[in-house]
Amino acid sequence: MAQSFPQNHLEFAHDVRKTCHDLNNFLMILQCQHEYLGALPSAEIESELAGVLTELGPLVEATAKDVHELSKKCREILEGGQ
């Protein structure tokens, strides 16, 4: 017999998948930026670093927000199941 899951659990599973995908994309961007900075002469790193950090700032904030929201949904599901 197939087990059915409540709609909120299916939505949570979708949110987990999306957040993992977003985290993977963020880490890929971070790795590319790291490789880019690593290939620069040391005299240029400081000036380029400010631009990289400016670009990464919104990504860090969005990623942290997504993980926080996922954590809240997880807590709601766990508390609802008790």
Side-chain angles (χ1 to χ4, degrees):
M1 175 189 283
Q3 182 180 7
S4 64
F5 291 99
Q7 183 64 30
N8 65 335
H9 289 196
L10 294 174
E11 290 171 5
F12 176 72
H14 175 74
D15 289 344
V16 168
R17 182 174 184 214
K18 180 189 175 304
T19 301
C20 288
H21 180 74
D22 292 346
L23 281 170
N24 188 48
N25 287 343
F26 170 73
L27 292 173
M28 182 75 77
I29 291 168
L30 195 59
Q31 180 181 3
C32 290
Q33 292 293 353
H34 177 265
E35 290 172 2
Y36 167 72
L37 289 172
L40 292 176
S42 57
E44 292 179 28
I45 290 177
E46 187 176 334
S47 63
E48 289 293 322
L49 186 58
V52 167
L53 291 175
T54 300
E55 290 176 18
L56 288 177
L59 289 172
V60 170
E61 290 177 19
T63 302
K65 180 182 174 202
D66 289 347
V67 171
H68 180 69
E69 289 299 316
L70 191 62
S71 173
K72 287 181 0 185
K73 288 179 184 178
C74 182
R75 188 177 315 115
E76 289 170 6
I77 287 174
L78 291 174
E79 290 173 354
Q82 293 179 350

